[in-house]
């Protein structure tokens, strides 16, 4: 089935020269022809008759201005589509196929360009120029690929941290619930307030991590698309590749800031359960007895050899006491001590 564009082109053809109408005229029988074609046809005829219907015309043909406008628009559109199709393959100045690459001006040229605008310039084969320019893109392309690998690693690390955050939240919530079960029912409001604060912090920090993961995914998508586009450019025809080289090279300069995870993204366990009984009992002094300990430990800063008690007030270690003790243990483990009340207490 013929396309509408093909049907239109057939209707715009002169039935004498079979080309698109040029300076079309219309006879009194309504048939149209190129002015030159119909005049040439009549030169060998005794009478001026229509080449199609043989109707004799005694009047001079009239210019068909509407048909002329349609034909000119159709020819211009066809020329534009052909120009777009062969963009990069043909010289835009002379319409000839590119034959060489001018190393002085860094552009593709046809033979007319060589003899006119590029005299005394240096040239090389298009294939050789394409290979040189492809090699120039290898290092920045490799850097982008390495960046993508780094983002994959970051994504894995951030996902592990998100899982740890979830686990910490659950464990801390369990500890808080256990503590409040030891108190009377009227303390339920305090329990709810603390759990709410914990969940708010967990939700807020989890949102931070998920935003970081989403940022990594977005950067992965951008870099993946950039790498795919660059690889597509590298696999194109050499002329098209050189024609688009500057644009491709600029795309490879694209940089993205490396995502980072804040050090304070984990749950502040010390804030929620450190000396919990003492803090609650300070509010409700008519209930007793209570535990008071001025020093608590931050479990987020401990090393694997240390174990922090459930209330974060003491630590144990797998290292023999004869090797490390007291402050030496803290100094060498990096465990952070948090002072909540009064003076420093002993471990």
């Amino acid at each position: 089935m013929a396309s509408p564009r093909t049907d239109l082109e057939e209707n715009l053809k002169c039935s004498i020269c079979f080309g698109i109408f040029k300076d079309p005229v219309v006879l009194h029988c309504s048939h149209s022809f190129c002015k030159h074609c119909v005049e040439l046809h009549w030169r060998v005829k005794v009478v001026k008759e229509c080449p199609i219907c043989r109707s004799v015309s005694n009047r001079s043909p009239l210019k068909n201005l509407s048909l002329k406008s349609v034909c000119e628009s159709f020819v211009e559109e066809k020329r534009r589509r052909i120009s777009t199709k062969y963009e990069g393959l043909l010289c835009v100045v002379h319409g000839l196929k590119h034959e060489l690459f001018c190393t002085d001006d860094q552009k593709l040229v046809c033979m007319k360009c060589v003899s006119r605008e590029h005299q005394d310039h240096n040239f090389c084969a298009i294939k050789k120029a394409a290979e040189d320019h492809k090699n120039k893109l290898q290092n920045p392309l490799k850097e982008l690929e390495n960046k993508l690998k780094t983002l994959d690693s970051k994504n894995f690390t951030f996902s592990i941290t998100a899982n740890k955050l979830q686990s910490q939240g659950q464990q801390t919530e369990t500890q808080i619930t256990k503590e409040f079960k030891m108190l009377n029912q009227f303390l339920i409001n305090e329990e709810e307030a603390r759990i709410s604060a914990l969940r708010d912090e967990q939700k807020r920090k989890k949102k931070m991590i998920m935003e970081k993961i989403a940022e990594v995914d977005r950067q992965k998508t951008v870099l993946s698309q950039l790498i795919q586009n660059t690889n597509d450019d590298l696999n194109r025809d050499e002329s098209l590749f050189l024609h688009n080289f500057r644009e491709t090279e600029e795309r490879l300069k694209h940089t993205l800031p490396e995502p980072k995870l804040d050090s304070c993204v984990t749950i502040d366990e010390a804030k929620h359960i450190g000396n919990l009984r003492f803090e609650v009992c300070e509010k409700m002094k008519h209930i007793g007895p209570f535990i008071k300990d001025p020093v608590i430990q931050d479990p987020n800063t401990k090393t694997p050899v240390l174990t922090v008690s459930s209330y974060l007030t003491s630590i144990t270690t797998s290292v023999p006491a004869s090797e490390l003790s007291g402050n030496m243990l803290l100094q060498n483990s990096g465990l952070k001590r948090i002072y909540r009340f009064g003076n420093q207490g002993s471990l």
Side-chain angles (χ1 to χ4, degrees), residues 223-283:
L223 288 181
S224 297
Q225 186 60 51
L226 182 55
I227 291 171
Q228 179 62 46
N229 291 342
T230 304
N231 285 324
D232 290 343
D233 289 342
L234 292 174
N235 293 326
R236 286 181 178 174
D237 178 271
E238 287 84 356
S239 295
L240 283 175
F241 167 75
L242 291 172
H243 180 75
N244 298 319
F245 173 76
R246 293 187 185 277
E247 181 181 349
T248 303
E249 185 180 36
E250 286 300 318
R251 285 203 310 265
L252 289 182
K253 295 179 182 179
H254 179 72
T255 58
L256 293 171
E258 182 174 328
K260 293 183 179 180
L261 200 62
D262 295 336
S263 59
C264 60
V265 74
T266 51
I267 294 294
D268 186 359
E269 295 180 58
K271 170 185 175 182
H272 294 287
I273 61 175
N275 268 337
L276 178 60
R277 294 183 185 180
F278 175 77
E279 290 187 348
V280 173
C281 289
E282 278 290 290
K283 295 180 180 180

Side-chain angles (χ1 to χ4, degrees), residues 65-291:
L65 298 180
S66 297
L67 180 58
K68 180 181 179 181
S69 177
V70 172
C71 291
E72 289 176 348
S73 298
F74 179 82
V75 171
E76 180 61 28
E77 173 65 16
K78 186 175 182 180
R79 185 182 295 112
R80 186 192 63 78
R81 286 188 288 108
I82 293 175
S83 175
T84 301
K85 179 179 180 181
Y86 292 99
E87 184 179 4
L89 298 176
L90 300 180
C91 175
V92 296
V93 178
H94 305 107
L96 300 177
K97 181 180 179 181
H98 291 136
E99 299 287 348
L100 295 171
F101 183 76
C102 177
T103 56
D104 293 342
D105 293 340
Q106 290 290 298
K107 63 185 296 186
L108 294 161
V109 294
C110 68
M111 297 312 295
K112 281 190 177 182
C113 291
V114 173
S115 62
R116 296 180 182 179
E117 295 89 358
H118 296 265
Q119 294 181 2
D120 301 326
H121 286 193
N122 296 310
F123 304 94
C124 70
I126 291 177
K127 184 174 182 179
K128 172 67 167 55
E131 290 177 354
D132 292 342
H133 284 70
K134 286 182 180 181
N135 291 333
K136 188 176 180 181
L137 297 179
Q138 293 306 312
N139 287 337
L141 179 60
K142 186 66 176 178
E143 291 179 2
L144 289 180
E145 291 173 343
N146 291 335
K147 181 73 172 180
L148 182 60
K149 292 180 181 179
T150 301
L151 290 177
D152 284 333
S153 177
K154 289 282 186 181
N155 190 46
F156 178 74
T157 302
F158 291 174
S159 296
I160 291 178
T161 305
N163 292 334
K164 180 181 178 181
L165 177 68
Q166 182 68 26
S167 177
Q168 280 187 311
Q170 293 174 351
Q171 293 174 3
T172 307
E173 183 175 335
T174 300
Q175 182 70 14
I176 292 175
T177 302
K178 179 180 178 181
E179 285 295 319
F180 275 91
K181 283 183 179 180
M182 299 174 61
L183 303 174
N184 293 325
Q185 186 59 41
F186 69 89
L187 294 176
I188 193 64
N189 293 335
E190 180 72 10
E191 177 187 11
E192 291 176 348
R194 286 181 173 267
I195 290 179
S196 176
L198 167 66
R199 290 177 176 174
D200 287 344
E201 180 181 355
Q202 180 184 350
K203 180 179 179 181
R204 183 177 68 258
K205 292 184 176 180
K206 184 173 182 179
K207 180 181 179 182
M208 292 169 56
I209 295 178
M210 299 311 294
E211 289 175 350
K212 291 293 183 180
I213 293 176
E215 180 182 355
V216 170
D217 289 335
R218 286 193 298 271
Q219 292 192 17
K220 286 177 61 180
T221 300
V222 171
L223 288 181
S224 297
Q225 186 60 51
L226 182 55
I227 291 171
Q228 179 62 46
N229 291 342
T230 304
N231 285 324
D232 290 343
D233 289 342
L234 292 174
N235 293 326
R236 286 181 178 174
D237 178 271
E238 287 84 356
S239 295
L240 283 175
F241 167 75
L242 291 172
H243 180 75
N244 298 319
F245 173 76
R246 293 187 185 277
E247 181 181 349
T248 303
E249 185 180 36
E250 286 300 318
R251 285 203 310 265
L252 289 182
K253 295 179 182 179
H254 179 72
T255 58
L256 293 171
E258 182 174 328
K260 293 183 179 180
L261 200 62
D262 295 336
S263 59
C264 60
V265 74
T266 51
I267 294 294
D268 186 359
E269 295 180 58
K271 170 185 175 182
H272 294 287
I273 61 175
N275 268 337
L276 178 60
R277 294 183 185 180
F278 175 77
E279 290 187 348
V280 173
C281 289
E282 278 290 290
K283 295 180 180 180
M284 311 294 294
K285 287 186 177 181
H286 61 284
I287 300 176
F290 57 86
I291 300 173

